[in-house]
Amino acid sequence: MNRARRWTLPLLLALALGGCIDSQLLQRDPTIGQFYTLDTERLRLCQGSSVLCHDLVIVAYSRTVLPEVEKIYGAEVRGPNYPLSFARLLMNPPGGEYQPSAVGSDSRYLRLPANELTDTAWRALERTRKQPYE
């Protein structure tokens, strides 16, 4: 029992400091707010080149926030594969409002500009992620 107490405080401090460091690094990342990165293989949308990401899979579980995205893009996110449909909407906006650019040579990662459309999609993903906890 003495051994457990000896490791508890250092472990808690390490976890607390780790959380602070991560949030500080995210705040300092100059790419946040400039663009989004879409991982077309894992279907993840990230802010800039940071690790602040959302899995597109969550739209399959909570489609209540999609109408806002569908309205601004002027297209519908359809099943049965909602995450893939959502990714395709981000990659190919129907109105041609922006053109994604490949990051690297394999086109797995696409850079999407931060604008009204992509910001709306990001906020929808955030709300979808938070819904089960509200």
Side-chain angles (χ1 to χ4, degrees):
M1 193 160 198
N2 189 18
R3 181 183 243 180
R5 286 184 185 170
R6 187 172 34 169
W7 287 101
T8 303
L9 183 60
L11 179 62
L12 290 174
L13 286 172
L15 290 172
L17 288 175
C20 293
I21 292 171
D22 285 344
S23 65
Q24 289 174 357
L25 288 175
L26 286 175
Q27 291 172 355
R28 288 188 206 153
D29 186 341
T31 64
I32 291 179
Q34 294 179 2
F35 63 89
Y36 294 96
T37 303
L38 178 65
D39 181 340
T40 60
E41 186 177 299
R42 291 193 176 170
L43 296 180
R44 292 172 50 94
L45 185 66
C46 303
Q47 280 191 324
S49 57
S50 74
V51 295
L52 186 56
C53 303
H54 291 301
D55 287 317
L56 301 187
V57 172
I58 60 177
V59 300
Y61 302 108
S62 176
R63 296 186 304 273
T64 59
V65 295
L66 286 180
E68 178 185 2
V69 174
E70 292 171 332
K71 182 179 179 183
I72 198 162
Y73 273 87
E76 193 175 336
V77 177
R78 297 182 179 198
N81 194 336
Y82 289 95
L84 184 58
S85 179
F86 191 84
R88 287 181 177 153
L89 186 64
L90 294 173
M91 291 186 287
N92 302 305
E97 293 85 358
Y98 60 85
Q99 183 68 35
S101 58
V103 178
S105 59
D106 64 356
S107 299
R108 173 182 171 179
Y109 299 100
L110 296 177
R111 182 173 288 178
L112 311 174
N115 59 31
E116 186 179 8
L117 278 72
T118 55
D119 289 344
T120 300
W122 178 262
R123 286 190 304 271
L125 290 169
E126 281 188 323
R127 283 194 312 279
T128 300
R129 185 182 57 82
K130 292 177 183 178
Q131 273 182 346
Y133 306 107
E134 293 178 345

